[in-house]
Amino acid sequence: MGSLATIAKPWWKDAVVYQVWPASFKDTNQDGVGDIRGVIESLDHIQSIGADTVWMCPIYASPRIDFGYDISDYEAIDPNFGTMADVDDLMQECHNRGMKFIMDLVINHTSDQHKWFQESRSSKTNPKRDWYIWRPAKYDEKGQRLPPNNWRSNFVGSAWTWDETTQEYYLHLFAPEQPDLNWDNLKMRKAVYDSAVRFWLEKGIDGFRIDTMTIYSKNPALPDAPITDPTSEWQSGRKWYGDQPKVFEILKEITAITSQYGEKMTVGEFGALKNLNVALDYVGASNRCVGMGFQFETVCVGYALNHWHIRNFSLQEFKQTFGKWQQFVEETDGWTCAFLENHDIARSVSRFGNDSPRYRATSAKMLAILLATSTGTLFLYQGQEIGMTNVPATWPIEEYLDISSQNYWKSVKTATDDKAVLDGALANIRKVARDHARTPMQWSDKPHGGFTTCGKGPWMRTNDNYVDISVEKQAHDPDSVLSFWKQMLALRKQYSDIFVHGTWRTMDVENPATMTFVKQAEGEKALVVLNFTDQPQPVKIPEDFRGSKPLITNLNQWYPETLSAYEGRVYVA
Ligand code: BGC
């Protein structure tokens, strides 16, 4: 086992990326919504953790039906977040510090308020009609109007909306306010490349996080999806729009553009993709599609992204997928990345650790060990560095503001008033709603966690535990989750050959309580042992590592043959 075949080591492979979800990061103009100035003010904090790249979630002009993932102008900034001058300052400030700055590229769809869609929907003969996906209705035997096919929107219900003006349906794989672009139209492609890609590269950004990269191209026949959910009228059409041949062509075109501007980071969402060969088609360097992809198999273990059928999962399942996506690029020219949180999924300490007061900090540190020793580019989400948790189970449904949670809840309520079913739906929301990641950042124990001084409070309620969990409280506490992240990221840098570039072998595949893996590079290796339970677990340190003291542990006391609850340890040899 050697280290990964890294023919080239561009900067983005060793990067530690800090993801900012701007609405909830820091409000500096007292309107209750986070802003770009708030990010500029917080760069000291971000850099002090050990992050060297900022990924800014969408700040473009948008009606914010899907919090910025519905863009009405790629070349303008949502005034709620600030101005173009603020973005220039933020980018400049990052660069002054030797940091990089990447932005979201959201081009599967635009907002229905984008001028392109306004034109497209105005008449069947408009030159931009074909920039989106329009189809006539189907009719059943009773003459009832039906959408062109049975595809389901990722936000519940049909993926088609009827447009009265021109008497046709348009496709939207997300909300009706997010019409899908027609990537078969070459004029549209060029317009997107100019407006969403080149415009920002010209400004000097260092790369893109590419939203929903696998679904741009649809099978032109738009066939019905196979029935995978017999309880529903609407089915996942991924078979006909996921990983279609043309999507690779599109990503190659994008990379051909980005590479004219130097070495840029490109990281795309794999979405529901599970097939490693296809994943390699996206991230193999010789294919020149994207640098790396976010896999969701691990973070969505027990459910599927945008589905609300949640079940319990075992640590074996978690380990199996984690290891699979760590190893898949070994002996190839591809690259991988590691993350446990983002704006679309629940807080990792609540999902994979234990967010009770007794174990929250220890388990958050244990997960920090896992991530900081993982192969690939590392992504950290705002608040993860202090162990922010899911919202309390006592919060009523009205506190969940995300379109996906609200649509799901409405759909269940419309279908039934059976209490058990409704309670089950609420339980799902409490486990995995996107809202958990979207509560305001907890800066201090001041009202609203110091996120805002707006008289009306923040746009979304701050998690009640801000009194105990905040940046201010942890910054000077050497035992805090935040201080531990700093140590871990310093070690990641020091041992980057093993941690960032090394190979991965899971050693205890069948063990339901612990996760043990070996990372290896040329001439050096590390052993990582993690206890995912609240009970002590026996641990057997292999011969090669015995005798050496751990490089780091997340507890002050450790015992050679036992791992305490949620303990994590790293040995190097
Ligand atoms: C983004 C989501 C968004 C969706 C539609 C995603 O994968 O991360 O937040 O709702 O794309 O743009």
Side-chain angles (χ1 to χ4, degrees):
M1 273 195 285
S3 65
L4 293 188
T6 43
I7 300 153
K9 274 197 186 176
W11 64 269
W12 44 265
K13 290 192 173 175
D14 284 273
V16 175
V17 184
Y18 187 91
Q19 181 191 351
V20 174
W21 199 73
S24 291
F25 193 59
K26 191 173 212 178
D27 175 22
T28 61
N29 65 348
Q30 294 91 42
D31 63 356
V33 180
D35 44 54
I36 299 161
R37 289 271 139 214
V39 186
I40 299 175
E41 278 185 14
S42 309
L43 285 175
D44 277 348
H45 167 69
I46 295 172
Q47 200 170 19
S48 76
I49 310 164
D52 50 29
T53 301
V54 174
W55 154 22
M56 195 72 173
C57 283
I59 45 176
Y60 311 98
S62 162
R64 290 202 290 162
I65 295 291
D66 185 19
F67 292 100
Y69 284 90
D70 47 325
I71 296 169
S72 53
D73 185 349
Y74 292 105
E75 299 171 37
I77 299 301
D78 179 347
N80 286 291
F81 295 139
T83 63
M84 190 61 87
D86 292 336
V87 188
D88 292 339
D89 286 354
L90 172 56
M91 186 168 49
Q92 192 55 54
E93 196 47 46
C94 286
H95 290 163
N96 291 346
R97 291 162 180 262
M99 296 173 79
K100 307 280 188 185
F101 178 69
I102 71 165
M103 289 180 64
D104 243 273
L105 180 62
V106 187
I107 51 176
N108 174 65
H109 44 263
T110 65
S111 159
D112 63 348
Q113 301 305 308
H114 196 293
K115 62 178 187 226
W116 299 340
F117 188 70
Q118 295 289 316
E119 286 181 47
S120 181
R121 79 181 331 173
S122 65
S123 82
K124 280 188 185 159
T125 52
N126 184 279
K128 294 203 175 56
R129 182 65 171 182
D130 186 47
W131 285 31
Y132 294 83
I133 301 171
W134 295 95
R135 288 290 184 282
K138 277 197 331 202
Y139 291 89
D140 65 12
E141 339 48 89
K142 290 190 206 120
Q144 207 177 323
R145 194 185 70 219
L146 295 173
N149 68 24
N150 67 351
W151 292 2
R152 176 182 64 209
S153 143
N154 284 302
F155 290 156
V156 183
S158 168
W160 296 91
T161 286
W162 177 250
D163 190 59
E164 283 299 337
T165 317
T166 53
Q167 299 284 298
E168 278 191 329
Y169 281 94
Y170 66 89
L171 180 72
H172 52 85
L173 295 181
F174 294 88
E177 295 85 352
Q178 294 168 295
D180 278 47
L181 287 159
N182 174 17
W183 280 89
D184 287 335
N185 185 304
L186 299 185
K187 282 198 180 133
M188 183 289 287
R189 273 197 208 187
K190 184 175 179 309
V192 168
Y193 295 156
D194 287 347
S195 186
V197 182
R198 275 190 204 281
F199 178 87
W200 287 96
L201 290 167
E202 285 291 331
K203 279 193 159 287
I205 68 166
D206 301 295
F208 290 109
R209 175 268 188 187
I210 307 181
D211 192 59
T212 59
M213 76 168 166
T214 59
I215 63 172
Y216 302 158
S217 170
K218 282 84 184 169
N219 180 304
L222 302 172
D224 269 336
I227 313 285
T228 47
D229 178 2
T231 65
S232 172
E233 206 177 335
W234 313 116
Q235 306 295 325
S236 166
R238 194 176 160 89
K239 174 170 183 202
W240 302 115
Y241 61 69
D243 317 310
Q244 304 293 303
K246 263 199 193 149
V247 87
F248 299 95
E249 173 191 311
I250 296 163
L251 292 168
K252 277 178 198 167
E253 287 175 2
I254 293 173
T255 291
I257 298 171
T258 59
S259 49
Q260 288 166 12
Y261 292 81
E263 189 62 57
K264 301 295 174 186
M265 175 186 285
T266 49
V267 50
E269 272 186 304
F270 284 138
L273 173 65
K274 295 184 176 167
N275 181 317
L276 296 180
N277 291 327
V278 181
L280 275 172
D281 288 341
Y282 284 101
V283 302
S286 48
N287 275 1
R288 304 198 54 74
C289 284
V290 291
M292 61 197 137
F294 291 123
Q295 59 89 9
F296 282 85
E297 239 191 319
T298 307
V299 287
C300 293
V301 61
Y303 73 108
L305 189 65
N306 293 320
H307 287 219
W308 291 92
H309 304 285
I310 322 294
R311 59 170 175 82
N312 289 333
F313 62 89
S314 64
L315 183 64
Q316 289 100 317
E317 283 177 88
F318 176 85
K319 284 190 286 192
Q320 197 269 329
T321 59
F322 202 102
K324 163 181 164 183
W325 289 98
Q326 280 284 287
Q327 285 180 285
F328 87 107
V329 289
E330 288 178 18
E331 314 287 334
T332 77
D333 63 350
W335 188 243
T336 191
C337 65
F339 74 103
L340 284 180
E341 287 189 29
N342 68 30
H343 63 294
D344 290 333
I345 51 183
R347 290 291 182 177
S348 59
V349 67
S350 300
R351 277 264 288 157
F352 307 117
N354 182 327
D355 62 9
S356 70
R358 181 160 176 203
Y359 293 120
R360 182 190 56 78
T362 308
S363 64
K365 291 178 194 173
M366 186 269 288
L367 294 173
I369 295 179
L370 168 60
L371 280 177
T373 56
S374 288
T375 302
T377 305
L378 182 59
F379 288 80
L380 192 59
Y381 180 68
Q382 67 187 39
Q384 188 176 1
E385 75 274 29
I386 54 171
M388 277 176 64
T389 67
N390 279 3
V391 306
T394 49
W395 279 20
I397 184 70
E398 294 73 35
E399 302 281 7
Y400 292 80
L401 305 181
D402 178 37
I403 181 171
S404 167
S405 317
Q406 282 298 337
N407 282 5
Y408 166 59
W409 178 242
K410 277 183 222 148
S411 73
V412 179
K413 256 189 26 181
T414 316
T416 185
D417 47 16
D418 183 324
K419 188 166 175 323
V421 178
L422 291 172
D423 285 350
L426 268 183
N428 288 340
I429 291 173
R430 286 183 185 129
K431 275 190 200 137
V432 301
R434 308 197 300 183
D435 305 78
H436 295 297
R438 298 175 177 195
T439 58
M441 178 74 185
Q442 296 167 204
W443 293 102
S444 71
D445 59 6
K446 297 207 183 75
H448 314 302
F451 162 74
T452 185
T453 52
C454 174
K456 286 192 288 191
W459 71 276
M460 183 186 182
R461 178 170 167 185
T462 308
N463 194 320
D464 310 287
N465 60 20
Y466 70 81
V467 184
D468 298 317
I469 305 172
S470 72
V471 172
E472 196 175 84
K473 199 158 181 179
Q474 296 191 16
H476 302 292
D477 172 3
D479 263 343
S480 68
V481 176
L482 179 57
S483 299
F484 193 76
W485 263 108
K486 292 179 184 175
Q487 287 179 61
M488 280 314 304
L489 291 182
L491 288 174
R492 179 174 177 81
K493 211 167 183 182
Q494 187 183 343
Y495 293 91
S496 71
D497 281 350
I498 317 179
F499 295 147
V500 183
H501 299 273
T503 54
W504 171 290
R505 290 296 171 270
T506 307
M507 308 306 282
D508 58 354
V509 179
E510 294 305 329
N511 190 311
T514 61
M515 181 170 188
T516 307
F517 53 91
V518 170
K519 294 296 302 287
Q520 183 149 358
E522 223 60 72
E524 39 177 1
K525 58 186 176 181
L527 174 80
V528 181
V529 283
L530 308 170
N531 179 358
F532 272 75
T533 73
D534 59 5
Q535 298 299 314
Q537 301 294 337
V539 63
K540 238 185 153 48
I541 305 301
E543 194 69 42
D544 310 3
F545 297 94
R546 239 176 267 159
S548 62
K549 263 183 53 191
L551 179 68
I552 191 160
T553 75
N554 59 345
L555 290 175
N556 294 329
Q557 259 207 318
W558 59 278
Y559 307 93
E561 308 214 336
T562 308
L563 283 177
S564 302
Y566 296 107
E567 182 178 351
R569 241 181 254 170
V570 184
Y571 294 84
V572 284

